Amino acid sequence: MTPDDNGHHWHYDHPRTLLGALQRGQGRGVLKARRDRRDAGVAEAVYACIARDHRWDRHVDDCGDYLARLVRDLDMDLAPILDLFWTADRDLDLDTSHDEGAFHVALRVLETLGHTGDRRAVDALRRAVAEAEHWTMVLDEITDRWPRQSWDDLDTVVLSRLTPQDEDDLLGFREPWATWARRHPRIADPTRRTAERPARPPTPVPRSSDVLVAVLGDPLASRGERAAALRELICCAPEPRLLDLAEDLYGTPSLYRAVSRLGSAAVGHARGWAQDGRMHRFGAALLAEHGTEQDIPRLVDAWDRLWEADEWCGFDTLADGFARFGAVAADAVPRLRAMWRWTPHSYERTACLRALLAVDPLAAEVPLGQGLLDSESGVREFAVAHVQLDHVTRRVLGGLAHDPIESPEVRRLAATRLASR
């Protein structure tokens, strides 16, 4: 359950429904949509997933290519998506809005369709560079994957829209500025000034582990000083004295990375931390990475705590721990299967699928087949590499191997699997 823009609470639909599966970016949603493509409700569900950003974590979860593929495969009308895009562009205020997700989803869907050669999408986003309020975001999107000939002639339009603030914020060595700087002095001059900015100050002389540990144990040291000391300590030999300081340092950036370098030496402390208190997730993560089989019940308990708290972040770390232990972690299987069905945090499904295969290959068969059409490229890559080959999966792999929407790595893996046997 998540709050919407007006503070009202909104629920994901049940994953067994078409809309619920599409909201989560699941492969089963694609299968349902293809099967029932003549049902008007299918297109409505896809449009609804473009109109509202359903990603749990917009920094890592992916949905643009997934939805664009559905629009293409179902031969859907682009007009409603264009209307959504222009409405979102008009209503979006980046200075005050915390929810620009719908704009980005519509933009990414159109960019992906344009990347595959859909002329309607290409024309719409080229027009947006000239007319949209948030044209710089559009320009960033289309110059990332589109061929140069699709955007190179927009330079004069862009120059007419550039403000002095834009020149300070945007111009640099990435495209399209690197290309346009060669023929426009107005772009070349700020780009050159960027290159002439003073270099970073030299790196200070490294401090010894004793000095760094003293800083970490100093109650008068600031959080920034402690974080800097931890970053330096990571470059030194693993430091056992951190274990006795960890509780006081909890919340300091880089603490987990520094403690994790101790490996099995941290397990004893981690077992205590994982029992309860504010460090229980910290301790469980260490056990997932370095614990032994006797720690499986502790990982199961940590998993159940997350589930009962209605959390969706952190399961991937625990799933990686179950994958380390393989079949002896059988108690994790029903939990992994429930996670696969229910989580809206699509980025973590890769770890879930990897753990299912490691712990119970039979339980992973259906999820692997669904994973071929998942919204996350990591899930698709893993599924392509490990799915059982039969006439159905071969047909799906054949489509992925030649799909311009698909990532190069997935296309390569799919072609390799098809050629292997």
Side-chain angles (χ1 to χ4, degrees):
M1 183 167 64
T2 61
D4 63 18
D5 297 337
N6 298 314
H8 302 128
H9 283 90
W10 171 89
H11 295 260
Y12 287 93
D13 283 69
H14 196 286
R16 289 182 180 173
T17 67
L18 171 65
L19 185 57
L22 295 180
Q23 289 168 347
R24 293 168 173 81
Q26 295 176 342
R28 72 172 71 190
V30 177
L31 296 172
K32 286 176 178 285
R34 288 177 176 177
R35 183 192 64 200
D36 301 330
R37 60 185 303 150
R38 291 185 174 85
D39 185 340
V42 171
E44 291 176 5
V46 177
Y47 287 136
C49 290
I50 298 173
R52 180 192 179 97
D53 188 356
H54 297 91
R55 291 174 294 171
W56 182 264
D57 185 338
R58 292 168 187 166
H59 296 290
V60 294
D61 292 345
D62 196 9
C63 69
D65 289 354
Y66 173 87
L67 293 170
R69 200 191 317 254
L70 282 164
V71 170
R72 182 201 62 189
D73 293 351
L74 300 175
D75 196 24
M76 291 171 54
D77 185 4
L78 232 58
I81 302 172
L82 295 174
D83 289 343
L84 287 168
F85 170 78
W86 287 106
T87 299
D89 175 67
R90 183 189 65 235
D91 294 343
L92 177 61
D93 184 347
L94 293 180
D95 293 329
T96 61
S97 175
H98 296 288
D99 184 14
E100 68 268 21
F103 173 81
H104 287 292
V105 172
L107 172 57
R108 182 61 187 223
V109 168
L110 292 170
E111 184 279 332
T112 298
L113 293 172
H115 172 62
T116 67
D118 188 312
R119 196 67 235 175
R120 301 165 299 169
V122 171
D123 292 344
L125 293 187
R126 281 174 55 86
R127 175 190 162 204
V129 172
E131 300 178 15
E133 178 71 22
H134 301 93
W135 64 272
T136 58
M137 296 182 183
V138 179
L139 187 64
D140 280 344
E141 281 288 331
I142 68 174
T143 54
D144 183 42
R145 294 197 297 178
W146 286 13
R148 180 178 297 179
Q149 62 267 26
S150 298
W151 52 258
D152 192 30
D153 63 340
L154 294 171
D155 52 345
T156 55
V157 172
V158 169
L159 282 169
S160 71
R161 304 199 70 182
L162 275 178
T163 66
Q165 184 62 50
D166 292 331
E167 293 179 6
D168 289 339
D169 293 344
L170 298 174
L171 303 190
F173 300 106
R174 69 185 189 280
E175 295 294 10
W177 314 112
T179 294
W180 291 345
R182 292 195 287 268
R183 59 181 187 258
H184 292 291
R186 185 181 170 195
I187 295 175
D189 291 345
T191 300
R192 189 179 304 112
R193 289 198 297 272
T194 299
E196 293 171 354
R197 288 175 181 169
R200 291 182 179 179
T203 303
V205 176
R207 295 175 285 182
S208 69
S209 293
D210 289 340
V211 170
L212 295 172
V213 170
V215 172
L216 294 172
D218 183 355
L220 299 180
S222 68
R223 187 171 187 269
E225 290 171 330
R226 290 181 170 189
L230 280 173
R231 288 195 298 271
E232 284 190 56
L233 200 59
I234 288 170
C235 299
C236 304
E239 179 51 71
R241 287 175 288 182
L242 266 180
L243 294 172
D244 294 327
L245 297 171
E247 292 188 35
D248 290 333
L249 294 171
Y250 182 68
T252 307
S254 301
L255 176 63
Y256 181 84
R257 186 178 172 194
V259 173
S260 179
R261 295 177 71 240
L262 291 165
S264 60
V267 168
H269 281 73
R271 287 171 178 159
W273 295 329
Q275 288 180 4
D276 207 353
R278 61 176 184 161
M279 291 187 69
H280 74 271
R281 292 181 65 169
F282 186 95
L286 287 169
L287 295 179
E289 189 173 1
H290 302 295
T292 66
E293 290 182 8
Q294 75 179 81
D295 295 306
I296 292 174
R298 295 184 175 91
L299 298 184
V300 169
D301 178 66
W303 184 287
D304 291 344
R305 289 191 195 187
L306 276 180
W307 191 270
E308 292 164 5
D310 201 22
E311 291 274 0
W312 291 116
C313 296
F315 288 100
D316 56 344
T317 300
L318 300 175
D320 287 340
F322 294 135
R324 283 181 55 231
F325 298 120
V328 295
D331 286 347
V333 172
R335 294 166 171 82
L336 291 166
R337 295 178 70 172
M339 177 69 174
W340 176 259
R341 287 192 301 269
W342 283 94
T343 183
H345 191 2
S346 56
Y347 177 81
E348 296 201 358
R349 278 203 294 268
T350 305
C352 183
L353 187 58
R354 186 166 51 238
L356 266 176
L357 183 63
V359 178
D360 187 343
L362 186 61
E365 287 187 3
V366 171
L368 282 168
Q370 296 169 347
L372 295 173
L373 299 171
D374 197 86
S375 63
E376 292 293 329
S377 61
V379 173
R380 298 195 303 276
E381 286 180 24
F382 189 84
V384 166
H386 297 283
V387 71
Q388 291 290 325
L389 294 180
D390 55 34
H391 70 283
V392 174
T393 56
R394 282 181 177 277
R395 185 169 64 250
V396 177
L397 289 174
L400 295 177
H402 299 95
D403 190 342
I405 288 181
E406 194 49 82
S407 71
E409 180 62 16
V410 171
R411 292 201 306 268
R412 184 191 66 78
L413 283 172
T416 300
R417 284 298 309 276
L418 288 172
S420 66
R421 46 190 296 185

